Amino acid sequence: MTVYEGFEPVIGLEVHAQLLTESKIFCACQTSFGAPPNSRTCPVCLGLPGALPVLNKKTVAYAVRMILAVGGEVRRSSSFARKNYFYPDLPKGYQISQYSRPVGSGGQVEYILSNGRKKACRINRIHLEEDAGKSLHPESGDPYTRLDFNRCGVPLLEIVTEPDIRSPEEAYAYLVKLKLILQHLEICSGDMEKGHLRCDANISVRPKGKKKLGSRTELKNLNSFRGVEKALDYEIRRQIKILKRGDEVERATLLWDENRQVALLMRTKEESEDYRYFREPDLPELVIENEWIEEIRQSLPEMPDAKIARFIEQYGIRRYDAELLTENRSLADYYENVMAHFDNGQTAANWMLTEILGLLSDAHEGIGTFKVSPRNTADLLNHVQNREISGRTAKEVFREMAQTGKSVSEIIERNGLKQITDEKKLRLEIEKVLEDNPEQLEQYRAGKTALFDYFIGQVMRRTGGRAEPETVNRLLKKILEGIKK
Ligand code: ADP
Ligand code: MG
Ligand code: ZN
């Protein structure tokens, strides 16, 4: 943990999560990405006069899922507000957001720090709002800044914390956990690099032991979790320097420059009054029936912490492995589908975390498009457990399965890879080896017992590695003892 001699950082995060709905928040335009510029627009999201917004019910359902998942309270009756500001990518001249009565408040997100300590950050508010468009600034040869309004009106869920976070490392842990929750709820891809998750960080420092919060700045343009950590550390050090020389930190918005690793002043901070918020006159009060909230509560999936605990309990695997397997919902589902046809949890976990993740990372692929079905993976593991193939052969077979999508038995049959467990056959092989190596046998009988492994190696060679090692071991011991007498 970074220590800031004599000072304590205070951090509050505002995260914008892009919701995975098919259409925008106030119109029927598609949210799909990569579409030609301005092809996903209509009078509503372009803010043409007379066009009226209609709230997309799914965005509310998603907001409620998140609020319930963090143990917050869903406001039965909330409202939308206009946040007024001018920017070229904002054709309406205002953004529809929620202000004094957001749809959700309270609850908390728990996370574990690198030193193993558990912490919780309280949630201040969760609200719905619309995204703005995108300005594409001049590149070589093009003298114009071009505007793409496809993103106008894409639904965002803003999740604002209380100022509970005390270090850059903690901010990182919070974000990792928040992303995991959003992904488990299947309401946001959590992809920060693609801008599907955006984070603004509010930061102040105060002398250690002091209660009163210091004057804060806000950091924007943070586009990776590690970037957040680095930017916060930079800004904490800057503020400490200011306080140390007896000055005051000026309230400001700073832009993080990822390339130069410095924070640049964007504007001295506007107050919320500057936005001239007022109730959105074109949208009615958002009223959410208790019954619907309960329905959503019932449909909530198992959350990450509960899943980890269950994996440890149900499959008897190590905590660390359970954490890795549940890091991604598709991976966790895959594991459970393997376990529907296999009975050794730790063996399956090891296989997933080494073999499967290894193959996937080599191929830059996700588990979603992996060629081997969970059923076939279980089939392979059962073959190893029943000693029909060796562990080493299994890895080869698996690689072929991943390339071709073929079944285990198909590959084993065709390549003659089946392990030899038949004692009669193995006994014959051992006897041949001893016959072919009379000198070594003589030395062995004279006391050079290290030659035992040599004989094993020879049997393996004769059988192309297919002899089942344990049986060979046992039989060889027996035969050699018989010869000694
Ligand atoms: P604004 O209206 O300017 O957005 P909010 O009261 O909504 O301000 O707070 C925004 C974020 O800043 C919240 O996450 C909050 O926890 C955090 N915050 C508020 N005061 C401080 C402070 N003194 N130091 C650090 N973070 C703070
Ligand atoms: Mg705010
Ligand atoms: Zn539209």
Side-chain angles (χ1 to χ4, degrees), residues 283-296:
L283 284 168
E285 187 89 358
L286 169 58
V287 177
I288 304 178
E289 301 290 346
N290 252 338
E291 220 172 277
W292 194 39
I293 298 175
E294 281 320 305
E295 209 178 285
I296 293 172

Side-chain angles (χ1 to χ4, degrees), residues 24 27-29 40-46 152:
K24 294 186 180 180
C27 62
C29 290
R40 301 283 186 263
T41 55
C42 74
V44 173
C45 54
L46 288 176
C152 287

Side-chain angles (χ1 to χ4, degrees), residues 346-384:
Q346 190 61 56
T347 301
N350 295 346
W351 190 266
M352 293 227 23
L353 296 172
T354 53
E355 296 311 314
I356 297 189
L357 289 190
L359 285 175
L360 290 177
S361 91
D362 286 349
H364 303 288
E365 207 187 326
I367 189 89
T369 52
F370 192 48
K371 269 227 178 87
V372 186
S373 68
R375 177 98 216 209
N376 279 347
T377 294
D379 200 17
L380 178 82
L381 295 176
N382 279 314
H383 271 76
V384 180

Side-chain angles (χ1 to χ4, degrees), residues 229-435:
E229 207 180 339
K230 284 223 186 80
L232 282 171
D233 181 59
Y234 174 94
E235 177 57 10
I236 290 165
R237 291 176 196 282
R238 189 188 71 92
Q239 289 190 11
I240 289 176
K241 251 189 231 150
I242 294 172
L243 294 185
K244 269 190 175 163
R245 57 166 197 257
D247 287 341
E248 271 170 35
V249 172
E250 192 188 5
R251 183 93 186 261
T253 301
L254 308 168
L255 276 188
W256 178 243
D257 185 330
E258 181 72 39
N259 292 325
R260 290 161 58 203
Q261 301 274 302
V262 291
L264 306 168
L265 182 70
M266 181 166 133
R267 55 175 179 246
T268 48
K269 172 79 178 174
E270 76 286 351
E271 299 292 332
S272 64
E273 296 87 77
D274 295 335
Y275 290 118
R276 292 293 182 273
Y277 276 100
F278 64 87
R279 178 66 204 276
E280 167 59 62
D282 290 340
L283 284 168
E285 187 89 358
L286 169 58
V287 177
I288 304 178
E289 301 290 346
N290 252 338
E291 220 172 277
W292 194 39
I293 298 175
E294 281 320 305
E295 209 178 285
I296 293 172
R297 196 194 300 279
Q298 294 308 319
S299 75
L300 281 187
E302 184 178 35
M303 297 313 290
D305 289 342
K307 189 168 265 183
I308 290 170
R310 180 171 63 79
F311 273 28
I312 295 170
E313 162 80 22
Q314 186 175 341
Y315 302 119
I317 59 177
R318 288 184 294 258
R319 165 165 287 274
Y320 181 69
D321 295 337
E323 281 171 4
L324 291 177
L325 286 171
T326 51
E327 232 166 46
N328 166 322
R329 189 163 159 187
S330 330
L331 195 69
D333 287 347
Y334 190 101
Y335 176 71
E336 296 214 77
N337 288 330
V338 171
M339 288 308 294
H341 307 283
F342 184 62
D343 63 10
N344 188 322
Q346 190 61 56
T347 301
N350 295 346
W351 190 266
M352 293 227 23
L353 296 172
T354 53
E355 296 311 314
I356 297 189
L357 289 190
L359 285 175
L360 290 177
S361 91
D362 286 349
H364 303 288
E365 207 187 326
I367 189 89
T369 52
F370 192 48
K371 269 227 178 87
V372 186
S373 68
R375 177 98 216 209
N376 279 347
T377 294
D379 200 17
L380 178 82
L381 295 176
N382 279 314
H383 271 76
V384 180
Q385 196 162 27
N386 302 335
R387 303 192 317 185
E388 287 162 88
I389 55 173
S390 70
R392 178 139 47 93
T393 306
K395 289 182 186 181
E396 273 167 44
V397 172
F398 197 61
R399 231 163 281 144
E400 197 173 332
M401 290 165 74
Q403 267 162 21
T404 62
K406 284 191 180 133
S407 74
V408 185
S409 32
E410 218 178 321
I411 295 170
I412 293 178
E413 289 301 330
R414 196 164 39 83
N415 301 346
L417 293 172
K418 222 178 163 101
Q419 188 152 263
I420 307 169
T421 46
D422 183 69
E423 296 206 3
K424 242 196 217 146
K425 252 193 205 152
L426 289 177
R427 193 178 280 275
L428 276 174
E429 297 291 348
I430 293 171
E431 280 163 0
K432 281 235 180 67
V433 165
L434 296 180
E435 240 174 72

